[in-house]
């Protein structure tokens, strides 16, 4: 795109970009920083692009990507020092004093950070009232809610801030953030059991550190968006949209009281577990090798010629594949006719057509195991049918 066209579009979208940034941060200072980053990326992207059919969608995608990077930076964790911020009962009850604190002076930055941790509705009302100077009635009309609801949220927000920032005269306090804000986890071995959708599987949705930590924060106990944000040490605005998408696609379950619970199987076990599992697998592998594999080899050698196609007639490949196939599909005789399809009970149906159980592993470094865990990595068993030739194919990696 030529410079004149790009300049024109940037001018047109400047206010919209700032509105997007303000909605995500609920802090003018942070919104200005985020908007500046988005504007630069949008401009560079426009200059390198050809004709764009859907400009609003294009700008929104760029803005979302910049916002995601911005969130990842903040999700690394930081401590907020609230230096002698005066929020006594009397002054909190005084709306004019509250307005002065939120807009002016050295106290503003600390208080704005606390505002950013409020829920979406209260945060939006605070911004509209104190930053955009809208009256209660104007806010009510814009949000489509009664005047009384706006008044209640304004009052409740002030009470919530009082509870969040309890400071005594002459004492400096530091706002506590959760352990994930200081030491975020990272996932590996993300995958699925079932059928992925058109948008991919677990690894596609949890590709970023932020989404991984949102899910992990709600794994051991259900949490609200605000509680997750506190655990990650970031604004609730950074969590809300991500959590909504994860909930929509079944990676988070919505519970009563606004709580969210992870719907992903997360492998977060200590090294001792893997060592014990390894010893157990070695023990039973020896039994299988002696008592089961010879019979499988005998049966494979007895197959009529042409029953199974093997590239180049490679007997070793036939044996390796046949033994793996037999191990995956063997059942005790008393269960041969009782195999149950449990996918309908546990697989999560996703809006993009996917239907699977999601799983991931917490990356712990170093594990210092006595064996290489990669030897147990397996993908399968998978069936394929070729429409061009009369053959069924079985695959395992």
């Amino acid at each position: 795109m030529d410079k004149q066209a790009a300049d024109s579009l940037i001018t047109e979208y400047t206010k919209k970009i700032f509105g997007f940034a303000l909605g995500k941060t609920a802090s003018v200072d942070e919104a200005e920083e985020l908007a500046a980053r988005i504007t630069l990326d949008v401009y560079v992207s426009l200059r390198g692009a050809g004709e764009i059919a859907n400009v609003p969608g294009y700008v929104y995608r760029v803005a979302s990507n910049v916002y995601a990077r911005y969130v990842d930076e903040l999700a690394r964790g930081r401590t907020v020092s609230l230096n002698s911020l005066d929020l006594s009962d009397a002054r909190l009850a005084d709306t004019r004093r509250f307005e002065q604190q939120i807009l002016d002076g050295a106290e503003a930055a600390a208080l704005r950070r606390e505002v950013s941790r409020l829920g979406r509705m209260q945060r939006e009302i605070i911004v509209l009232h104190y930053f955009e100077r809208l009256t209660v009635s104007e806010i009510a009309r814009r949000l489509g809610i009664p005047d009384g609801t706006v008044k209640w949220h304004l009052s409740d927000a002030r009470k919530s801030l009082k509870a969040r920032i309890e400071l005594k005269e002459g004492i400096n306090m530091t706002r506590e953030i959760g352990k994930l804000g200081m030491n975020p986890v990272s996932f590996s071995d993300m995958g699925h059991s079932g059928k992925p959708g058109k948008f991919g599987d677990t690894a596609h949705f949890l590709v970023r550190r932020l989404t991984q930590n949102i899910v992990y924060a709600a794994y051991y106990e259900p949490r609200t968006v605000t509680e997750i944000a506190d655990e990650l040490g970031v604004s609730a605005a950074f969590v809300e949209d991500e959590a909504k998408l994860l909930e929509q696609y079944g990676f988070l379950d919505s519970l009563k009281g606004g709580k969210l619970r992870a719907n992903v199987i997360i492998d977060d076990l200590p090294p001792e577990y893997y060592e014990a599992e390894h010893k157990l697998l070695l023990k039973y592998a020896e039994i299988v090798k002696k008592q089961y594999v010879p019979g499988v080899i005998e049966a494979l050698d007895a197959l009529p010629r042409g029953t199974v196609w093997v590239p180049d007639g490679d007997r070793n490949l036939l044996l390796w594949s046949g033994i793996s196939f037999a191990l995956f599909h063997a059942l005790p005789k008393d269960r041969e006719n009782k195999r149950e399809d449990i996918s309908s009970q546990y697989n999560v149906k996703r809006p993009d057509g996917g239907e699977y159980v999601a799983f991931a592993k917490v990356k712990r470094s170093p594990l210092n195991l006595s064996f290489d865990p990669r030897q147990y990595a397996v993908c399968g068993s998978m069936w394929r049918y070729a429409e061009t030739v009369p053959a069924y194919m079985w695959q395992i990696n």
Side-chain angles (χ1 to χ4, degrees), residues 167-208:
L167 300 181
K168 297 181 180 179
E169 185 176 356
I171 298 178
N172 291 335
M173 294 187 65
T174 300
R175 190 184 193 286
E176 293 293 330
I177 62 175
K179 65 178 182 179
L180 292 180
M182 302 298 294
N183 186 28
V185 301
S186 180
F187 287 170
S188 64
D189 300 333
M190 292 180 282
H192 68 280
S193 177
K195 182 185 68 173
K198 65 179 180 180
F199 294 152
D201 75 339
T202 312
H204 293 82
F205 285 91
L206 304 185
V207 66
R208 291 184 292 109

Side-chain angles (χ1 to χ4, degrees), residues 103-364:
L103 292 175
D104 304 315
E107 303 165 339
L111 189 53
R112 285 172 182 170
R113 291 189 183 100
E114 294 305 318
V115 171
S116 72
R117 290 179 166 88
L118 296 172
R120 180 186 293 273
M121 178 65 77
Q122 290 188 348
R123 190 176 66 251
E124 188 171 3
I125 289 174
I126 286 287
V127 170
L128 291 174
H129 188 61
Y130 292 108
F131 287 89
E132 297 190 18
R133 300 292 196 180
L134 297 187
T135 66
V136 168
S137 297
E138 290 170 337
I139 295 172
R141 285 196 298 271
R142 177 176 292 193
L143 299 182
I145 57 179
D147 288 10
T149 301
V150 175
K151 292 178 181 178
W152 182 88
H153 278 298
L154 284 171
S155 174
D156 190 65
R158 290 195 289 270
K159 292 178 182 178
S160 178
L161 288 170
K162 174 182 177 296
R164 285 173 172 272
I165 312 173
E166 295 181 4
L167 300 181
K168 297 181 180 179
E169 185 176 356
I171 298 178
N172 291 335
M173 294 187 65
T174 300
R175 190 184 193 286
E176 293 293 330
I177 62 175
K179 65 178 182 179
L180 292 180
M182 302 298 294
N183 186 28
V185 301
S186 180
F187 287 170
S188 64
D189 300 333
M190 292 180 282
H192 68 280
S193 177
K195 182 185 68 173
K198 65 179 180 180
F199 294 152
D201 75 339
T202 312
H204 293 82
F205 285 91
L206 304 185
V207 66
R208 291 184 292 109
R209 183 75 70 90
L210 175 63
T211 51
Q212 293 173 15
N213 281 270
I214 288 174
V215 169
Y216 187 78
Y219 184 65
Y220 289 103
E221 60 177 305
R223 283 179 163 148
T224 65
V225 166
T226 300
E227 290 170 342
I228 293 173
D230 285 344
E231 176 64 21
L232 271 57
V234 300
S235 163
F238 296 143
V239 174
E240 285 168 339
D241 290 343
E242 301 287 353
K244 185 177 181 180
L245 182 66
L246 291 171
E247 181 186 350
Q248 180 184 356
Y249 280 85
F251 295 93
L252 290 173
D253 286 335
S254 179
L255 307 179
K256 292 181 179 179
K259 299 276 187 177
L260 296 171
R261 179 180 59 199
N263 194 9
V264 177
I265 298 175
I266 300 179
D267 183 344
D268 187 22
L269 299 168
E272 293 79 11
Y273 171 88
Y274 298 111
E275 293 287 358
E277 181 186 44
H278 176 60
K279 291 179 181 179
L280 192 64
L281 291 172
L282 288 179
K283 173 184 175 182
Y284 283 100
E286 189 68 25
I287 295 174
V288 169
K289 182 180 74 172
K290 291 180 178 179
Q291 300 185 15
Y292 185 72
V293 169
V296 175
I297 294 176
E298 182 180 352
L300 289 170
D301 286 337
L303 284 173
R305 186 178 181 83
T307 302
V308 177
W309 177 78
V310 183
D312 300 323
D314 188 336
R315 182 174 180 273
N316 282 330
L317 177 59
L318 172 63
L319 296 183
W320 276 107
S321 303
I323 291 170
S324 298
F325 179 88
L327 289 172
F328 262 87
H329 293 274
L331 282 173
K333 290 184 177 180
D334 62 344
R335 291 184 58 204
E336 284 183 354
N337 298 319
K338 297 179 181 179
R339 182 188 293 271
E340 296 180 7
D341 181 8
I342 63 173
S343 63
S344 60
Q345 299 178 44
Y346 298 104
N347 279 352
V348 178
K349 294 184 178 181
R350 324 267 173 181
D352 63 344
E355 189 173 342
Y356 57 88
V357 173
F359 59 81
K361 183 176 182 178
V362 175
K363 189 185 298 182
R364 302 294 186 191

